[in-house]
Every structure is written in structure tokens, then in C-alpha cells.
């Protein structure tokens, strides 16, 4: 069974440029998460989807970050415009439902903003 | 809010040594507890979990017991191998307590096993 797929694996951009990350969850997983992991830190939740609905986006910086999950499968996380402080690894995870279900993580996208 | 505190690294041990990585938590509700591992160049993988007090999670020779009285979930292994070198993250999920329904992670502990 394929795991969570993310692309690109690495992205280098200049500040003020837009950037987008893509995630394909494990087949049949209704819940999708986006996390941000700063260097030397644990991941921090940005947004959670139940099917196509964003049910928790309280940690998403809405002035420059946006996300969507059309048709309740793939998801895209966008930053526009990017700032130096956005350099981090962006992780996508999925689970069958929510709460105590195990979350499975993708390999992440390492973003460097110059 | 919820939080997880785990011992600072790096932790350097010789092969076959005993391992303990301390993890304590603060939560409003009744969380589930997890250990995730990140091997060099790879993504986060679930190592083990426990969903209620006194449960013991185990996998690949690692164990952790959910201790509600001490709010702890320490990771242990009796004899470590070089292949155990990785970053270990303690995490909790506490949706009933009103936290975001995602995982709250500790900062991670880098484990280095020398031959």
C-alpha cells in the first residue's frame, strides 16, 4: 500500500515569491493534516481536514497561507508571499478518521526562503 | 494548552546499552500518547502508542507505559543497536480536552548509537 505522497521534496525560493505544496494521502483516509516543522523542533499543526472540510485551521497564518482539499482527496498548501521565517519542513499526514486514529506522515517538503 | 516535554539531546550510547528517553506531558483531557521516530533522510514513522492509563505500547524492542499518576510516557529499550540512531518524538492527541485535533509534539531527542 502506498504511503502519503508529497511533492516537491525540496523547494528554494526568494522571499515574496509564492510557493505551493501538494499532498496525496493514503487511499481511504478521510482526515488530512498539514504540519510545519522548524529546525530542531517538533511538528506543529497548521490545519486539519475531514474530507473536504477544514475543521481546524486555528493555527494557520491566514494572511499569507491558504489550503484546499478539493474532492476530499489531494490537498494543496500555499504560501503567498513567502517570508524568510517560513523556511521549514512542511509535513502532510493522514488518518482513517480522527481522534485516536494513527496518523501516517509523508516525507515532507523542505522549503528554503532566501 | 497541551504540551509535551522530552529530554534534550543528543543522547550518545554504545551499542547494547540500555536506553531511556524521558517524556512528560500536560493535557486537559485524556490523551492518547505516541512515540514517533525519524530516521536520517526519512519521514516520521509511528513507533508505538498507548491510548489509556497503564497501557504499554511496544514495537521493535522499544516499550513505553502510559503513567497517568506521573503524566509520563518514557521510551525504553534494553539493548540498543546502531540502526536505532534517529530522532525520537513524543506526542499526544487530546481532542476531548479541547486541543486541536492533531498531534502535539515534543522537540525531539536525537539518539546516536556508537559501535
Amino acid at each position: 500500500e502506498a504511503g502519503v505522497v508529497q511533492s516537491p521534496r525540496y523547494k528554494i525560493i526568494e522571499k515574496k515569491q509564492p510557493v505551493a505544496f501538494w499532498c496525496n494521502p493514503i487511499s481511504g483516509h478521510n482526515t488530512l493534516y498539514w504540519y510545519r516543522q522548524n529546525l530542531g523542533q517538533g511538528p506543529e499543526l497548521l490545519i486539519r481536514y475531514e474530507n473536504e472540510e477544514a475543521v481546524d485551521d486555528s493555527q494557520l497564518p491566514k494572511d499569507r497561507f491558504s489550503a484546499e482539499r478539493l474532492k476530499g482527496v489531494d490537498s494543496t498548501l500555499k504560501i503567498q508571499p513567502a517570508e524568510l521565517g517560513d523556511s521549514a519542513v512542511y509535513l502532510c499526514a493522514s488518518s482513517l478518521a480522527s481522534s485516536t486514529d494513527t496518523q501516517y506522515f509523508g516525507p515532507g517538503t523542505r522549503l528554503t526562503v532566501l | 494548552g497541551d504540551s509535551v516535554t522530552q529530554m534534550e539531546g543528543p543522547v550518545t550510547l554504545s551499542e547494547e546499552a540500555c536506553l531511556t528517553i524521558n517524556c512528560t506531558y500536560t493535557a486537559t483531557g485524556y490523551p492518547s500518547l505516541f512515540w514517533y521516530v525519524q530516521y536520517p533522510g526519512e519521514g516520521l514513522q509511528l513507533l508505538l502508542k498507548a491510548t489509556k492509563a497503564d497501557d504499554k505500547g511496544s514495537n521493535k524492542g522499544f516499550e513505553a507505559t502510559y503513567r497517568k499518576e506521573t503524566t509520563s510516557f518514557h521510551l525504553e529499550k534494553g539493548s540498543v543497536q546502531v540502526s536505532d540512531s534517529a530522532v525520537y518524538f513524543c506526542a499526544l492527541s487530546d481532542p476531548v480536552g479541547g486541543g486541536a485535533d492533531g498531534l502535539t509534539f515534543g522537540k525531539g531527542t536525537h539518539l546516536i548509537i556508537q559501535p
Side-chain angles (χ1 to χ4, degrees):
Chain A
E1 178 181 306
V4 176
V5 179
Q6 291 188 248
S7 69
R9 291 294 307 275
Y10 305 91
K11 188 74 175 178
I12 301 174
I13 61 172
E14 295 189 347
K15 63 181 181 181
K16 300 185 182 180
Q17 295 300 305
V19 65
F21 315 122
W22 176 80
C23 172
N24 180 246
I26 293 173
S27 178
H29 280 195
N30 296 325
T31 305
L32 184 146
Y33 307 78
W34 282 102
Y35 290 84
R36 177 170 58 189
Q37 185 177 15
N38 293 313
L39 187 64
Q41 303 292 317
E44 296 178 333
L45 181 70
L46 291 174
I47 188 169
R48 174 173 73 91
Y49 281 93
E50 291 285 348
N51 299 303
E52 66 276 7
E53 181 182 0
V55 294
D56 186 352
D57 62 355
S58 57
Q59 304 301 313
L60 190 71
K62 298 181 182 62
D63 56 336
R64 298 182 298 107
F65 286 65
S66 64
E68 61 182 11
R69 191 183 184 196
L70 301 177
K71 301 182 180 179
V73 181
D74 295 1
S75 179
T76 302
L77 177 68
K78 298 179 181 177
I79 308 175
Q80 181 171 11
E83 298 179 351
L84 295 176
D86 296 331
S87 295
V89 176
Y90 291 83
L91 297 167
C92 180
S94 70
S95 65
L96 276 173
S98 62
S99 303
T100 58
D101 285 342
T102 297
Q103 294 183 30
Y104 296 88
F105 284 80
T109 297
R110 182 176 296 276
L111 173 67
T112 302
V113 182
L114 303 176
Chain B
D2 296 346
S3 65
V4 174
T5 302
Q6 58 183 108
M7 60 191 294
E8 298 283 332
V11 174
T12 303
L13 297 173
S14 297
E15 203 166 21
E16 299 184 2
C18 293
L19 168 71
T20 299
I21 300 178
N22 291 332
C23 172
T24 58
Y25 67 90
T26 302
T28 306
Y30 302 93
S32 295
L33 302 174
F34 305 82
W35 277 100
Y36 278 82
V37 59
Q38 191 169 34
Y39 297 104
E42 299 185 15
L44 282 166
Q45 302 175 23
L46 178 66
L47 181 59
L48 52 85
K49 71 177 184 179
T51 58
K52 61 182 186 295
D54 299 326
D55 270 2
K56 177 186 285 187
S58 61
N59 186 25
K60 299 182 180 180
F62 291 88
E63 293 183 339
T65 301
Y66 189 143
R67 301 289 188 197
K68 185 178 179 182
E69 63 276 14
T70 55
T71 62
S72 65
F73 193 55
H74 305 321
L75 182 68
E76 299 177 326
K77 188 174 185 181
S79 176
V80 293
Q81 305 300 313
V82 172
S83 58
D84 293 327
S85 299
V87 181
Y88 292 81
F89 292 91
C90 185
L92 68 81
S93 175
D94 183 25
V96 175
D101 192 16
L103 292 166
T104 299
F105 285 88
K107 292 185 176 181
T109 302
H110 187 191
L111 176 64
I112 301 169
I113 306 302
Q114 296 178 333

